[in-house]
Coordinates of all heavy atoms in Angstrom, one line a residue:
Y227 N -50.5 26.8 -33.9 CA -50.0 27.9 -34.6 C -48.6 27.7 -35.2 O -48.3 28.0 -36.3 CB -50.0 29.1 -33.7 CG -51.3 30.0 -33.8 CD1 -52.2 29.9 -32.7 CD2 -51.6 30.7 -34.8 CE1 -53.3 30.7 -32.7 CE2 -52.7 31.5 -34.9 CZ -53.6 31.5 -33.8 OH -54.7 32.2 -33.9
G284 N -52.0 31.4 -43.8 CA -51.9 32.9 -43.6 C -52.4 33.4 -42.3 O -51.8 34.2 -41.6
K285 N -53.6 32.9 -41.9 CA -54.2 33.3 -40.7 C -53.4 32.9 -39.5 O -53.2 33.8 -38.5 CB -55.6 32.7 -40.6 CG -56.4 33.0 -39.3 CD -57.8 32.6 -39.3 CE -57.9 31.1 -39.3 NZ -57.6 30.5 -38.0
D286 N -52.9 31.7 -39.4 CA -52.1 31.3 -38.3 C -50.8 31.9 -38.2 O -50.3 32.3 -37.1 CB -52.0 29.8 -38.3 CG -53.3 29.1 -38.2 OD1 -54.3 29.8 -38.0 OD2 -53.4 27.8 -38.3
T287 N -50.1 32.1 -39.3 CA -48.8 32.8 -39.3 C -49.0 34.3 -38.9 O -48.3 34.8 -38.0 CB -48.2 32.8 -40.7 OG1 -48.1 31.4 -41.1 CG2 -46.8 33.4 -40.7
Q288 N -50.0 34.9 -39.4 CA -50.3 36.3 -39.0 C -50.7 36.3 -37.5 O -50.4 37.3 -36.8 CB -51.4 36.9 -39.8 CG -51.7 38.4 -39.6 CD -50.5 39.2 -40.0 OE1 -50.0 39.2 -41.1 NE2 -50.0 39.9 -39.0
G289 N -51.4 35.3 -37.0 CA -51.8 35.2 -35.6 C -50.6 35.2 -34.7 O -50.6 35.8 -33.6
L290 N -49.6 34.5 -35.1 CA -48.4 34.4 -34.3 C -47.7 35.8 -34.3 O -47.2 36.3 -33.2 CB -47.4 33.4 -34.8 CG -47.7 31.9 -34.3 CD1 -46.6 31.0 -34.9 CD2 -47.6 31.9 -32.8
I291 N -47.7 36.4 -35.4 CA -47.1 37.8 -35.5 C -47.8 38.7 -34.6 O -47.2 39.6 -33.9 CB -47.1 38.3 -37.0 CG1 -46.1 37.4 -37.8 CG2 -46.6 39.7 -37.1 CD1 -46.2 37.7 -39.3
S292 N -49.2 38.6 -34.7 CA -50.0 39.5 -33.8 C -49.7 39.2 -32.3 O -49.7 40.2 -31.5 CB -51.5 39.3 -34.2 OG -51.7 39.6 -35.5
A293 N -49.6 38.0 -32.0 CA -49.3 37.6 -30.6 C -48.0 38.2 -30.2 O -47.8 38.7 -29.0 CB -49.3 36.1 -30.4
G294 N -47.0 38.1 -31.0 CA -45.7 38.8 -30.7 C -45.8 40.3 -30.6 O -45.2 40.8 -29.7
R295 N -46.6 40.9 -31.4 CA -46.8 42.3 -31.4 C -47.4 42.8 -30.0 O -47.0 43.8 -29.5 CB -47.7 42.8 -32.5 CG -47.8 44.3 -32.7 CD -48.7 44.7 -33.8 NE -48.4 44.0 -35.0 CZ -49.3 43.3 -35.7 NH1 -50.5 43.1 -35.3 NH2 -48.9 42.7 -36.9
E296 N -48.3 41.9 -29.5 CA -48.9 42.3 -28.1 C -47.8 42.3 -27.1 O -48.0 43.0 -26.1 CB -49.9 41.2 -27.8 CG -51.1 41.2 -28.6 CD -52.1 40.1 -28.3 OE1 -51.8 39.4 -27.3 OE2 -53.1 40.0 -28.9
H297 N -46.7 41.6 -27.2 CA -45.6 41.6 -26.3 C -44.4 42.3 -26.7 O -43.3 42.1 -26.2 CB -45.3 40.1 -25.9 CG -46.4 39.4 -25.3 ND1 -46.7 39.4 -24.0 CD2 -47.4 38.6 -25.9 CE1 -47.8 38.6 -23.8 NE2 -48.2 38.1 -24.9
Y299 N -42.7 41.9 -29.4 CA -41.7 40.9 -29.8 C -41.9 40.7 -31.3 O -42.9 40.1 -31.8 CB -42.0 39.5 -29.1 CG -41.0 38.5 -29.4 CD1 -39.7 38.5 -28.8 CD2 -41.3 37.4 -30.2 CE1 -38.8 37.5 -29.1 CE2 -40.4 36.4 -30.5 CZ -39.1 36.4 -30.0 OH -38.2 35.5 -30.2
A300 N -40.9 41.2 -32.0 CA -41.0 41.1 -33.5 C -40.7 39.6 -34.0 O -39.9 38.9 -33.4 CB -39.9 42.0 -34.1
M301 N -41.3 39.3 -35.1 CA -41.2 37.9 -35.7 C -40.9 38.1 -37.1 O -41.7 37.8 -38.0 CB -42.4 37.1 -35.4 CG -42.7 37.0 -33.9 SD -43.9 35.7 -33.5 CE -42.9 34.2 -33.5
P302 N -39.7 38.6 -37.5 CA -39.4 38.9 -38.9 C -39.4 37.7 -39.9 O -39.7 37.9 -41.0 CB -38.0 39.6 -38.8 CG -37.4 39.0 -37.5 CD -38.6 38.9 -36.6
I303 N -39.0 36.5 -39.4 CA -39.0 35.4 -40.2 C -40.4 35.0 -40.7 O -40.7 34.7 -41.9 CB -38.4 34.1 -39.5 CG1 -36.9 34.4 -39.3 CG2 -38.5 32.9 -40.4 CD1 -36.2 33.3 -38.5
L304 N -41.4 35.1 -39.8 CA -42.8 34.8 -40.2 C -43.3 35.9 -41.1 O -44.1 35.6 -42.0 CB -43.6 34.7 -38.9 CG -43.3 33.5 -37.9 CD1 -44.3 33.5 -36.8 CD2 -43.2 32.2 -38.7
Q305 N -43.0 37.1 -40.8 CA -43.4 38.2 -41.7 C -42.9 38.0 -43.1 O -43.6 38.2 -44.1 CB -43.0 39.6 -41.2 CG -43.5 40.7 -42.0 CD -45.1 40.8 -42.1 OE1 -45.7 40.7 -41.0 NE2 -45.6 40.8 -43.3
A306 N -41.6 37.5 -43.2 CA -41.0 37.3 -44.5 C -41.8 36.2 -45.3 O -41.9 36.3 -46.5 CB -39.6 36.9 -44.4
A307 N -42.2 35.2 -44.6 CA -43.0 34.1 -45.2 C -44.3 34.7 -45.8 O -44.6 34.3 -47.0 CB -43.4 33.0 -44.2
I308 N -45.0 35.5 -45.2 CA -46.2 36.2 -45.7 C -45.8 37.0 -46.9 O -46.5 37.0 -47.9 CB -46.9 37.0 -44.6 CG1 -47.4 36.0 -43.5 CG2 -48.0 37.8 -45.2 CD1 -48.1 36.7 -42.3

Side-chain angles (χ1 to χ4, degrees):
Y227 269 108
K285 177 171 68 73
D286 296 355
T287 304
Q288 189 62 59
L290 277 181
I291 294 171
S292 299
R295 190 183 305 126
E296 291 177 6
H297 299 275
Y299 183 76
M301 306 193 79
I303 295 176
L304 297 186
Q305 184 60 54
I308 291 175

